[in-house]
Amino acid sequence: MQVFWQHGYEATSLQYLLAATGLSKSSLYQAYSNKQALFEAAFCHYAEQRSREMRARLLQAPSPLEFLRGWLLSVLDDVGPDGNPRGCMLVNVANEFSQADPAVAELLQRGVERMQRVLREALQRAQACGELNAAADVDALASYLHCVMSGLRTQVKGGAAKPAIEAVVELSMSTLR
């Protein structure tokens, strides 16, 4: 997962995968029929892991809106093993594949839905505790927040300054009040 996340699908060589897994070529191909199958498994693992981590942070947060603020600000701390911002694997894969591969497009859609499900849960909790207007459209807001996060990750990857990111986060949070 880390190798595909850092290098992307096309730039990930067999040598990178063998080094990362510690497997021989034959063992790797016994477990996964080809690079695409390994990539798909790694991507599904990423989406599952991220949504599980998000839900755990939501449950530990002092409030749903504080969870959302922290989640958006987490883009400032997300760096790869090389010290550079790595972006979101969902966004990276969407940019690399676009709609060129129907199987990957379906995986992307499911990954996005997993993330948005946690966002909807946070927004519904915010409504229940009075932090968010009861009439707010949580589906639209979850999509909006996911788009904001995607843009923030792209901006950070492109070198945007911390104060600019923080300003966008605060502006985004103001739409929830």
Side-chain angles (χ1 to χ4, degrees):
M1 179 185 82
Q2 295 294 333
V3 173
F4 284 120
W5 191 356
Q6 183 175 357
H7 300 286
Y9 178 81
E10 287 299 325
T12 295
S13 68
L14 179 60
Q15 284 65 37
Y16 285 153
L17 294 171
L18 295 176
T21 62
L23 296 173
S24 68
K25 184 177 179 180
S26 63
S27 294
L28 185 69
Y29 283 119
Q30 282 178 345
Y32 299 96
S33 57
N34 57 35
K35 178 180 166 181
Q36 178 85 14
L38 176 56
F39 169 77
E40 289 176 7
F43 183 78
C44 288
H45 176 73
Y46 170 86
E48 182 180 310
Q49 179 184 33
R50 283 297 213 191
S51 65
R52 191 174 47 248
E53 290 170 359
M54 284 175 64
R55 180 160 283 111
R57 283 188 300 227
L58 171 59
L59 296 175
Q60 295 170 356
S63 79
L65 290 188
E66 282 307 308
F67 159 76
L68 292 170
R69 175 181 278 106
W71 174 68
L72 291 171
L73 287 171
S74 72
V75 299
L76 296 169
D77 302 321
D78 197 12
V79 295
D82 60 0
N84 293 318
R86 57 189 168 173
C88 171
M89 193 173 181
L90 282 169
V91 175
N92 295 349
V93 168
N95 288 334
E96 184 173 5
F97 280 90
S98 186
Q99 295 293 308
D101 185 321
V104 174
E106 182 180 329
L107 291 176
L108 276 167
Q109 186 56 42
R110 285 193 309 217
V112 167
E113 178 52 37
R114 289 181 87 104
M115 302 300 166
Q116 288 186 7
R117 200 174 5 235
V118 178
L119 296 174
R120 279 192 300 277
E121 182 180 339
L123 293 162
Q124 288 165 344
R125 286 173 180 242
Q127 284 178 319
C129 72
E131 288 184 338
L132 179 64
N133 185 311
D137 183 343
V138 294
D139 291 329
L141 286 172
S143 293
Y144 164 74
L145 289 170
H146 188 263
C147 288
V148 169
M149 178 57 102
S150 297
L152 288 171
R153 289 196 184 278
T154 300
Q155 290 297 305
V156 168
K157 209 172 170 185
K162 181 179 178 179
I165 297 300
E166 291 170 336
V168 170
V169 168
E170 289 311 312
L171 179 62
S172 299
M173 292 304 299
S174 73
T175 65
L176 303 178
R177 293 188 192 101

